[in-house]
Amino acid sequence: MSKHVLALEQFDRQQLQSFVDRAIELKSERKQGVRHEQLAGRTICLLFDKPSTRTRVSFEAAMYGLGGNVIFMSSKDSQLGRGEPLKDTARVLARYVDGIVVRTFGQEIVEELARYSDVPVINALTDLYHPCQILSDVMTVIEKKGALENLKIVWIGDGNNMANSWIEAAAIFGFSLTLACPQGFDPDEKVLARSKERATQSITLLRDPVEAIKDADVVNVDVWASMGQEDEQEERLELFQPYQLNRELLAKAKDDAVVLHCLPAHRGEEITEDVLEGPQSVAFDQAENKMHIHKALLDQFID
C-alpha cells in the first residue's frame, strides 16, 4: 500500500474499507470515553495554501485526539510563498515531522511533495481531488444506509474535485453513481475514463438534474464556485440555478434519501435553507465524520 494519500485511485476496496471501518471504531471508542495515545510523541505539519475551517480543525482535533502534536503553516507563513522549491520543502519538513497534510491548488504540488518526502503526505484538498472528504462522506452513507452496493448515489452541480473523488469512490467501492452537471462543467475527463474502466456499476453523466435524482438513495451537492473561482460567481449563479437542491427537486428522490453537503453551504444557491436544515440532511454528521476519518488515516499512515 502507498505510504501517501494523494487520490483514492491509489487504493483498492479492501484498503479504503479498512480506513472507514477504523474510523467507525475510533468514533465509537471516543463516545465510550476511550483515550487514544498511539501517536504520542509524533508531529504532523499542516501546510495549507487555501483557507479552511473544517479540514484544519478536524485534522488538528484528530491528531491531538491520538496524543500527537500539530504544526500549522499557511503559504504566507512559509518559504513556499517566497518560491522555495517544493522538493526542498519536502526534504526539510520530513526531517522535522512525521507526516505532512497539504491543502493546496494543483495536484502536482502534493505529488511533488510526496515524491521527495520520506514521511507520508496526505492530500487534504487540491483542485483535482478531495479524497479525505469523500471517505468521510462514504462513512456517513454507510452509517445511514448500510451497504453501498445497492444504493443509487447522485451528485448534482459542478464537476469539481469532490465530483472527481466521488467518481473514483464509485469505481472502487462498486456502487452506482449518477452525476448531473451543466455543459462545460463536467468532471475531469481522464478521471472519469479511468474510473469507468475500473467500475463494476454504472457511472453516468447527465445534464438534467430531475432525471439524475430520480429514485436516488443519496443526494450530494456542493458550492457552485470553489475557492479560486470567485470571479466566475455571477456567471455560475445563472448557469447552475436549475441544479439547486430544493424541496421540489428532492421530492424526485426516494422518500428516505439522505442529503450530503461538505459545507460551507451557500443557502439559497446550491441548496435551500429548508433542505439543509431538514430531516433528510446529514451534513453535520458528515462534518463530524471528517475528524474520525482523519484519525483513521493518521493512525494508519503516521509511523
Side-chain angles (χ1 to χ4, degrees), residues 247 250 253-260 275 278-282:
R247 279 290 167 199
L250 183 58
K254 289 182 179 178
D255 291 341
D256 62 349
V258 297
V259 173
L260 299 178
V275 172
Q280 291 171 268
S281 172
V282 296

Side-chain angles (χ1 to χ4, degrees), residues 150-290:
N150 297 320
L151 298 178
K152 179 182 178 181
I153 298 179
V154 173
W155 174 270
I156 297 176
D158 190 19
N160 60 13
N161 51 3
M162 289 280 293
N164 291 334
S165 287
W166 264 112
I167 289 167
E168 289 189 334
I172 300 165
F173 281 103
F175 57 80
S176 169
L177 179 67
T178 302
L179 304 101
C181 304
Q183 184 77 40
F185 296 89
D186 290 351
D188 185 86
E189 291 182 3
K190 293 180 180 178
V191 172
L192 185 58
R194 289 197 304 267
S195 296
K196 282 188 171 184
E197 287 182 2
R198 187 175 182 178
T200 57
Q201 299 290 329
S202 62
I203 300 175
T204 306
L205 176 60
L206 302 174
R207 299 292 172 220
D208 184 358
V210 175
E211 181 183 356
I213 202 172
K214 184 179 179 181
D215 296 325
D217 297 286
V218 179
V219 183
N220 202 335
V221 296
D222 192 12
V223 296
W224 291 340
S226 300
M227 282 175 284
Q229 298 172 334
E230 290 80 6
D231 59 339
E232 303 174 20
Q233 179 74 18
E234 292 304 316
E235 176 189 5
R236 285 171 176 257
L237 283 176
E238 182 177 352
L239 287 171
F240 281 84
Q241 192 59 45
Y243 295 81
Q244 181 188 75
L245 184 61
N246 49 40
R247 279 290 167 199
E248 183 181 1
L249 183 58
L250 183 58
K252 309 294 184 184
K254 289 182 179 178
D255 291 341
D256 62 349
V258 297
V259 173
L260 299 178
H261 193 307
C262 68
L263 304 178
H266 293 174
R267 290 166 166 83
E269 293 182 12
E270 75 277 358
I271 191 168
T272 56
E273 173 84 11
D274 58 341
V275 172
L276 184 64
E277 297 291 350
Q280 291 171 268
S281 172
V282 296
F284 295 97
D285 295 319
Q286 184 185 353
E288 177 190 344
N289 284 340
K290 287 171 67 76

